[in-house]
Amino acid sequence: MGDVWAGLPILVQDIAVLLALLVPLGVLAGLLWRGYAPGRLVRALLWRFRWANTMFVALIAVSVGMGIGLLAQERGLRQGTAQAASKFDLVVSAPGSEMTMLLATVFLQPSDVGLIGGAAYAEIAGHENVEIAAPLAFGDSIGTASVVGTTAEFATFLSDGAIEGRLWNAPFEAVAGAAVPLEIGARAEPAHGHGDAAEEGAHAAEFTIVGRMAPTGTPWDRAVLVPVEAVWELHGLANGHAPGRADQLGPPFDADFFPGTPAIIVRATELWANYALRSEFTRDGETMAFFSGTVLANLYRVMGDVRQAMSLMSVVSQVLVASSVLLGLFILTRLFQRQVAMLRALGAPIRFVVAVVWSYAAALLAAGTALGLGVGLAAAAVLSRVVTARTDIVVSATLGWAELHLAAAFLTATALVALLPALAVLRQPVASGLRA
């Protein structure tokens, strides 16, 4: 059934969702607000048992809201990670795990990876279809911020040129990410390593912050970008340039004095050239070239399997909630058993009694579902802030059709189920109801 639904055009799905929402709501609105007798009685019941009704609506809202919040958050996380990788079209590294290199380059997760030599870098940087070939150098940190050695050209590309202050003109000048708690002019000594394993005082040098990048919405907002030559020199290596050009910063680098780099971020002159470059620089035992978007797509495929499992769990939970709603409706109808018995004793038609009980139940369900959309939006916003704070990936979760599908399905199914307690009321003897 799910495959059949997924195969329908999006417009057909959306029309079905709108009808599923509008039909029960329209019927309910007509009964409640157009002056019919069932509407007046339902309003009286809603007010008479308002505290019990409020609790029932709140429970429905929480159950619907949590499912909606998780679905919206998963989609927001996908969009956030895709945005974070948008500047990393093609990554060239030593052979190994593409996922490990993606986490190291795009999300700045510390990793132990191999290095690309000077000859390979020179070939990549000198290719006619390569516009930018930026080496990256990791391993150090300033507080909780990663120190990343690269080129001024890549820093400008990453920030779209939005840098407060200026770029570096000397080896130990740096540009801080937007979320790094260092102002322009501050001086900081780098530590070797990250986190608890960082070795303070391992480098007898300080970086001076001369610029700050505008927010990018990526983990690079918590990075300190420095000339790649400075990172090499801190670790006692050659700085990539021949002795006669030792004061130079940035490309071109001398292959004989190039210490190696774990990754090269490549930007091609044309979009089509990316595919040719990936094929050309994927060499057994030498280099590995991959699209960050392709690796993310594979990750999304795994997440899609997880999403299907979560969706199945959500369906199961919604079935349990619907069962609880049915039980709750049976209990709530006991509250006004005497009023229903009086209607029947006065000769009210069966359809009138069913309309009163069903409209009462549908009003609670509609209110709970509508409130659940708000709860889901609030839950997604809170989860987005938590994920953004933990990962430095800007996640913005909003409600979409998937969430409306879930709300509409729940409301439609439970509105139909609400007919059962309405019909069950008719099975109760009038005499016992009057004595209740």
Side-chain angles (χ1 to χ4, degrees):
M1 183 64 183
D3 294 338
V4 174
W5 173 261
L8 293 175
I10 298 298
L11 180 60
V12 175
Q13 295 185 27
D14 294 343
I15 292 175
V17 171
L18 289 175
L19 290 176
L21 281 171
L22 294 177
V23 170
L25 291 179
V27 174
L28 179 62
L31 289 171
L32 291 180
W33 308 115
R34 294 191 61 182
Y36 295 125
R40 291 192 291 270
L41 286 175
V42 171
R43 290 197 300 273
L45 291 173
L46 291 173
W47 178 252
R48 172 67 178 83
F49 306 106
R50 54 188 177 276
W51 298 116
N53 296 333
T54 300
M55 292 297 297
F56 194 72
V57 168
L59 291 174
I60 296 174
V62 170
S63 64
V64 173
M66 293 307 295
I68 287 175
L70 288 176
L71 289 178
Q73 184 61 34
E74 190 268 348
R75 186 180 64 255
L77 185 59
R78 289 192 183 208
Q79 295 172 348
T81 52
Q83 177 63 31
S86 62
K87 295 289 187 179
F88 300 80
D89 296 334
L90 182 64
V91 180
V92 182
S93 66
S97 169
E98 293 181 352
M99 183 62 69
T100 298
M101 291 310 306
L102 177 75
L103 294 175
T105 56
V106 177
F107 302 105
L108 298 180
Q109 296 298 308
S111 302
D112 185 13
V113 296
L115 300 178
I116 298 176
Y121 174 80
E123 183 180 359
I124 295 170
H127 198 284
E128 61 181 356
N129 292 326
V130 172
E131 180 181 350
I132 298 176
L136 301 182
F138 309 107
D140 296 329
S141 61
I142 296 176
T144 59
S146 297
V147 174
V148 183
T150 186
T151 64
E153 187 179 27
F154 180 71
T156 302
F157 170 68
L158 183 66
S159 62
D160 292 324
I163 297 178
E164 178 187 358
R166 61 177 176 84
L167 286 169
W168 51 73
N169 294 323
F172 289 93
E173 292 181 340
V175 173
V180 176
L182 293 173
E183 299 298 329
I184 295 177
R187 299 173 64 87
E189 180 180 346
H192 181 67
H194 297 79
D196 296 336
E199 300 177 18
E200 300 288 346
H203 303 303
E206 285 185 332
F207 286 105
T208 300
I209 306 299
V210 297
R212 286 181 64 85
M213 293 194 301
T216 64
T218 72
W220 287 73
D221 285 340
R222 291 193 179 276
V224 176
L225 277 62
V226 302
V228 67
E229 293 88 347
V231 176
W232 288 332
E233 291 177 3
L234 284 176
H235 293 85
L237 304 172
N239 70 355
H241 304 286
R245 298 187 297 112
D247 294 335
Q248 178 182 334
L249 293 180
F253 295 100
D254 192 317
D256 295 331
F257 296 90
F258 190 88
T261 178
I264 303 170
I265 307 303
V266 177
R267 179 173 175 80
T269 55
E270 300 290 344
L271 179 61
W272 62 266
N274 282 309
Y275 297 91
L277 292 171
R278 181 185 64 170
S279 177
E280 185 173 349
F281 293 115
T282 299
R283 302 170 180 172
D284 291 339
E286 187 177 351
T287 57
M288 173 182 69
F290 63 91
F291 296 139
S292 59
T294 301
V295 180
L296 279 177
N298 294 332
L299 178 61
Y300 295 156
R301 190 175 298 112
V302 175
M303 291 177 63
D305 295 338
V306 175
R307 180 188 177 95
Q308 290 180 1
M310 291 178 60
S311 298
L312 179 60
M313 294 176 61
S314 177
V315 170
V316 173
S317 65
Q318 293 302 317
V319 170
L320 294 176
V321 171
S323 301
S324 301
V325 167
L326 178 61
L327 178 61
L329 290 175
F330 275 109
I331 295 174
L332 287 177
T333 55
R334 301 286 293 180
L335 294 176
F336 49 87
Q337 179 182 355
R338 186 166 183 269
Q339 288 83 349
V340 173
M342 290 178 62
L343 288 175
R344 295 174 63 191
L346 293 173
I350 292 178
R351 63 180 181 275
F352 181 87
V353 176
V354 172
V356 170
V357 178
W358 181 85
S359 299
Y360 167 78
L364 298 180
L365 293 169
T369 303
L371 185 59
L373 290 173
V375 172
L377 184 60
V382 172
L383 288 173
S384 296
R385 291 186 179 182
V386 173
V387 172
T388 299
R390 294 291 181 88
T391 64
D392 298 319
I393 301 171
V394 173
V395 177
S396 179
T398 57
L399 298 185
W401 280 112
E403 290 72 41
L404 291 179
H405 289 175
L406 177 63
F410 177 81
L411 177 57
T412 303
T414 51
L416 293 174
V417 169
L419 290 172
L420 296 178
L423 296 175
V425 168
L426 301 177
R427 296 175 58 87
Q428 299 172 0
V430 175
S432 61
L434 292 174
R435 291 194 298 268

